[in-house]
Structures are given as structure tokens and as C-alpha cells.
Amino acid sequence: MESMHLQNVRVWVGDGCWRTELPIVDGCIAASSGGSAFDCGGRVATPGLVDAHVHFVMGAQSRGGIDLSNVGGRAPFEATLERAHRALPAGEWLIAQGWNESQWGDGASTPTKRWLAAMGDRPTVCWRCDLHAAVVNQAVLDRLDLPADAPCCQSGLLVEAQAWAHLVPALPEPALEDVRRAVVDASGWLNSMGITGIRTMEYRKQLEDVLDVVSSQLSLRTTVTLLDRTLPLDVGWLANRSAQLPRVIGCKAFFDGTLGSRTARMATPFLDRGDCGQWVECAADNTDVKWCEQVQRAGLAPSIHAIGDAAVARAMALLVDVPDAVVGTIEHAQIVPEDSLEVLAQIRLSVQPTHRAEDASTAMESLGAARVARMLPLRTLHNAGARLAFGTDWPVTSPDPMRTLAAAITGRTVSGEVLHGDQTIDNEVAIHAMTLAAAEATMLPTAEGLIPGAPADVVVWDADPFTWQGHEPSPRPWAVFVAGRCVYSLTGAC
Ligand SMILES: [Zn+2]
């Protein structure tokens, strides 16, 4: 039996209680102390943070890639691409991501293939930050089975199904060894931010080729929601999965797109477009009920991507009839439908405060004040009893959990303004949403907090996250434990 205890520490157990020491035996919280002492110098500790919604394999691959998230318009966009172009061997695809035209100030336009002209015949793909749109050059379009006179071939801008069904299958496959190494590296990087658990959205292929192969090297509790969604669902292979591998808990369907790409499905039109956005996939062909039945029959949890208020209303109507123990979730729920609080409180909401912070800049002109007031109103949802599980949607936004917590407790947007200051939540509520509630919604075993018998996933903080006002510098992890093992320390002590 291995035993130790954290001492000289103020532990937020997670259920409203505090402790002054934390005994750990064989990777779990114990009832009484023994073994070696780990002096925490009077610091505050919390349960390990859980990110309820990431695309882990994709996120790991995006690290060190060509990053367009900080470009402020066409000239720096083109300059970044040209630098990358010069550094790449001839013939290799140039794949960049992260552009967000809504951050570029007034009059900024969406990129087109003309912005990629300097790449010549090098196939070039630039994903928007939300991964629901990509601008590509002619060298890529020539490889896709799209009619040459289609508007998307004129602009080079592929949105939703054009990107998913046509572009993604044409992309070159990266070397598996490289992807696996990136995933192991990313696991340690997430630990250093205090993250000890994730639920990741993966296709079976990435799960089996990458995550399963390296799972024993990851210091990250992981559950998986499958992205494979063609009906009839192919889930027979799950019966043969070893219990040692990341647990597959659910399946995801998409009902709509995103606010940034104006493809979220709204009840009334976008003010700057004149249409209501899109229904996509099973919501477009009305197989959503059938999908939900098949997911449940497989013993899995249905998770529905729904962002616009019409999409959220439809997801809500479907999931409210799913038994609570099935743990269905609405992913994003960004524009809450009118008069929906009572029903929403019966469903787990997997939400991303950083999406609100990023979408805020164009929200007023595209949605108008009445709908902006319904844009992830955290306090109203919390007061109504909603079960909020926080996540980042990495690599769509940064995986840094402190950005998520800051957005939730301050209401601040990426431009520094406060969007709706009356909709902020207290630090403790926000931390609960990123620890116990996120674990509960994603079937991770840390949902009870740091009580005896629970896994010893713990973050000791260099500053108190409960009195933090949400400004930089944020509290950072001082030491991080997963199953009682120190996986990161600020001072390099482990
Ligand atoms: Zn996502």
C-alpha cells in the first residue's frame, strides 16, 4: 500500500466542505492520514479540472501548427502564410487554422482563395477557428468533387458539409507516429494547466489508431464520445473493447453549425444575413429521433451539438424524454430559447464560456440585443437549477481552463468589454462546473469530489482561485496529482 498525505493545505472538497489535510492511499482519498507528508505551504487545493468537451487528437496535432488566431486582417494573414510557405518542402500541403474575421474590426471581410494566391500550386487549407469553415486554394479545389461553378468553388470558402464531406476526406493523412507523440505531449501540457480529466470527441479511427495505442502513457482520465454518426450506427465493435482503454460513453450528432459561420440554426433570421442559418445532417434529413434511439439502444449517451435557439429547442425536446441515467447532453447551447429554463434544467448542458467571449464582438449586429441577452446566460441558467459542465472545445478555443473560468466569472469578451455583467457566476460555481459537474456529465469517476474512496486527482494552486477576480495573472497549478501521483509541479519538485 502506498500512502502519503498533503498537509498544510486548504482543500476544497467540492461538496461545500473544506479540509486541512488530504490523506491518499493507493491513488485514492483516504479517511485518515499516514505515510509521507507533502507540505503545500498553506496553499488552496481543488479536485483536478475536467474539460467536458475537447477534440484531443485534433488539438494535439494543432499544437505547433500554422496558427492564424492572432492575425488581425488580410495583410498579416497573407504574411503568415507566405512565411510558412517558404519553410515547407515543395509539394507538401500547407494546413493552417484559427482565423476569426469577427476579431478584425469593422469592414473586415471573410478570406477567399485570392488571399492564398501566393501559395501557387501548393495545396493550402486555412480552417476558421470554429472548424466549421475553411478557405482553400485552387490546388485543393481541383482535388475535390465539387461542381466548378458552385459558389464555394468561386470563393474557395467551404462551409459545414462542403468542408466535412468533401475537404476532410481529401486531406493528406499525417504519420501515425507523429500524431501519437503529439497526443502524449499534449497530455502533459494539459496536466500543467491543472486538467486531470477530459471527454474527447473522436472518430473510431482516431480512437483505435492513436488514443488506444498511447493510452497507458497518458496521465489524463479520458472518456470518449464518438463522432461516427452514419445510420445505422456501427457500434458492435465496442463489445470487444478492453476495460483498460478509454471508455466510450456516447455518440454525438450535429443539429446545426456555429454563430461565427452564421450556420447556427436560429428561430428568427440573422440580422446581417436574412436567413435563419442551417439544419445539418440528421436534423436536416429528420433522422434525429432514429439516431437518438439507436444511441440509447447501444447503451450510450446521446450528445447533441446545438448552438442556435431553434437547434437548442429541438435538442431539448428530444433529450428531455431520455432517462436521466443515460446522461444525454446538449453541447454548446449557446443561444438559449425563450421560455426554456424549466426544461433545460432537466438536461445536462456542456457549455463553453470562451465561445461567448469570442462570438460577442459580432453578436449585436448579427443577433440583436434581445438574443444577445439569451447568449449563454450563466447566472440565469444556474439559478434555474441547470447542470452546467464546462469545457473549452479545444482546439476551437484555447484549452487553458483559466480562460474559461475568467469568462464565466467576469463576463469579459476577448476585446475586454463585459458582455452582460449580470450573468456572471461566482468562482465556486464556476470551479464546480469545471470539476465535479464536468466529471458527472462525462462519466469520469471524479464527480464526487475529494471524499474518502474517490480518485486522488488534485490541483494545488499557487494563488487562491476562489478569491481571484478573473484578471491576469491567473492562479496557476503549483502541483498536480492524478491518482495520487504527482504529474506536474511548478517548481519541478516531481
Ligand atoms: Zn467541439
Side-chain angles (χ1 to χ4, degrees):
M1 249 183 11
E2 252 183 75
S3 64
M4 65 172 293
H5 62 279
L6 307 188
Q7 67 173 27
N8 194 14
V9 63
R10 289 183 294 139
V11 181
W12 181 74
V13 172
D15 61 356
C17 301
W18 291 77
R19 300 181 62 166
T20 53
E21 61 170 9
L22 199 64
I24 297 171
V25 176
D26 282 343
C28 292
I29 308 301
S32 59
S33 287
S36 57
F38 187 98
D39 190 334
C40 296
R43 294 179 176 85
V44 168
T46 65
L49 302 182
V50 170
D51 194 323
H53 182 136
V54 295
H55 303 262
F56 188 39
V57 174
M58 210 194 303
Q61 287 176 265
S62 75
R63 291 181 73 213
I66 300 158
D67 180 19
L68 297 169
S69 64
N70 293 315
V71 305
R74 179 168 181 170
F77 186 107
E78 291 178 334
T80 302
L81 287 187
E82 278 171 48
R83 264 196 310 277
H85 175 57
R86 280 196 299 272
L88 271 183
E92 204 165 291
W93 286 55
L94 190 160
I95 300 175
Q97 71 272 321
W99 58 269
N100 184 353
E101 81 291 358
S102 72
Q103 311 294 322
W104 297 345
D106 292 340
S109 57
T110 305
T112 69
K113 66 182 181 185
R114 275 178 288 283
W115 295 28
L116 280 46
M119 305 302 105
D121 55 9
R122 178 193 298 286
T124 302
V125 180
C126 300
W127 287 99
R128 193 178 187 277
C129 63
D130 62 9
L131 302 169
H132 284 249
V135 62
V136 303
N137 65 354
Q138 193 59 44
V140 173
L141 291 170
D142 290 344
R143 290 167 160 82
L144 307 183
D145 54 345
L146 286 163
D149 57 348
C152 65
C153 290
Q154 302 306 307
S155 66
L157 187 70
L158 308 178
V159 179
E160 301 296 342
Q162 295 157 353
W164 295 115
H166 297 276
L167 173 60
V168 170
L171 294 174
E173 298 241 354
L176 277 180
E177 274 314 308
D178 295 344
V179 182
R180 290 174 187 149
R181 197 174 321 110
V183 162
V184 174
D185 289 349
S187 147
W189 186 57
L190 294 183
N191 287 156
S192 76
M193 292 187 270
I195 298 169
T196 60
I198 56 168
R199 176 188 50 155
T200 183
M201 316 279 157
E202 306 291 347
Y203 289 94
R204 176 186 179 186
K205 186 165 169 32
Q206 274 69 39
L207 177 63
E208 293 187 331
D209 287 352
V210 180
L211 267 191
D212 286 356
V213 177
V214 297
S215 64
S216 66
Q217 299 171 55
L218 306 181
S219 46
L220 206 52
R221 290 184 202 277
T222 306
T223 54
V224 179
T225 292
L226 288 174
L227 291 173
D228 304 87
R229 50 194 183 268
T230 309
L231 297 181
L233 285 179
D234 169 23
V235 284
W237 57 279
L238 286 171
N240 305 318
R241 263 179 89 73
S242 151
Q244 310 303 112
L245 295 173
R247 181 179 165 202
V248 173
I249 60 162
C251 295
K252 184 172 165 190
F254 289 79
F255 277 14
D256 67 346
T258 66
L259 290 175
S261 293
R262 305 292 189 278
T263 48
R265 182 68 190 195
M266 306 300 303
T268 50
F270 283 103
L271 300 177
D272 53 352
R273 289 292 166 97
D275 65 51
C276 292
Q278 294 182 14
W279 293 115
V280 303
E281 301 189 351
C282 70
D285 62 20
N286 293 313
T287 53
D288 49 333
V289 174
K290 193 193 272 181
W291 168 84
C292 193
E293 282 167 3
Q294 291 189 16
V295 173
Q296 289 182 79
R297 213 175 301 136
L300 296 170
S303 289
I304 300 174
H305 168 115
I307 288 184
D309 51 4
V312 175
R314 183 164 169 175
M316 190 174 97
L318 189 56
L319 290 180
V320 75
D321 293 328
V322 169
D324 197 63
V326 172
V327 195
T329 56
I330 298 181
E331 303 298 321
H332 313 306
Q334 225 174 321
I335 307 296
V336 167
E338 285 179 283
D339 305 321
S340 63
L341 290 175
E342 213 174 300
V343 182
L344 278 181
Q346 300 173 51
I347 300 162
R348 290 168 188 79
L349 305 179
S350 162
V351 299
Q352 297 74 30
T354 47
H355 282 333
R356 184 187 60 183
E358 293 191 352
D359 288 330
S361 53
T362 53
M364 274 300 178
E365 77 184 71
S366 72
L367 299 173
R371 283 184 290 188
V372 167
R374 290 189 273 116
M375 195 164 165
L376 202 55
L378 289 175
R379 178 169 292 274
T380 299
L381 286 166
H382 173 67
N383 289 346
R387 285 172 288 180
L388 300 170
F390 280 180
T392 64
D393 206 4
W394 182 51
V396 176
T397 65
S398 159
D400 184 348
M402 303 318 279
R403 293 202 195 184
T404 295
L405 295 176
I409 65 181
T410 68
R412 231 176 26 236
T413 71
V414 289
S415 58
E417 296 147 30
V418 170
L419 178 58
H420 29 40
D422 57 333
Q423 286 297 343
T424 59
I425 51 175
D426 299 341
N427 296 40
E428 189 166 356
V429 174
I431 293 170
H432 183 271
M434 197 119 211
T435 52
L436 278 67
E440 198 275 338
T442 60
M443 300 191 205
L444 285 162
T446 54
E448 303 294 323
L450 300 173
I451 60 169
D457 294 6
V458 187
V459 180
V460 183
W461 296 92
D462 74 346
D464 185 347
F466 294 93
T467 56
W468 176 48
Q469 305 281 309
H471 303 293
E472 288 297 325
S474 69
R476 302 309 302 179
W478 180 76
V480 180
F481 298 83
V482 175
R485 190 171 67 86
C486 184
V487 296
Y488 168 79
S489 83
L490 186 63
T491 55
C494 69

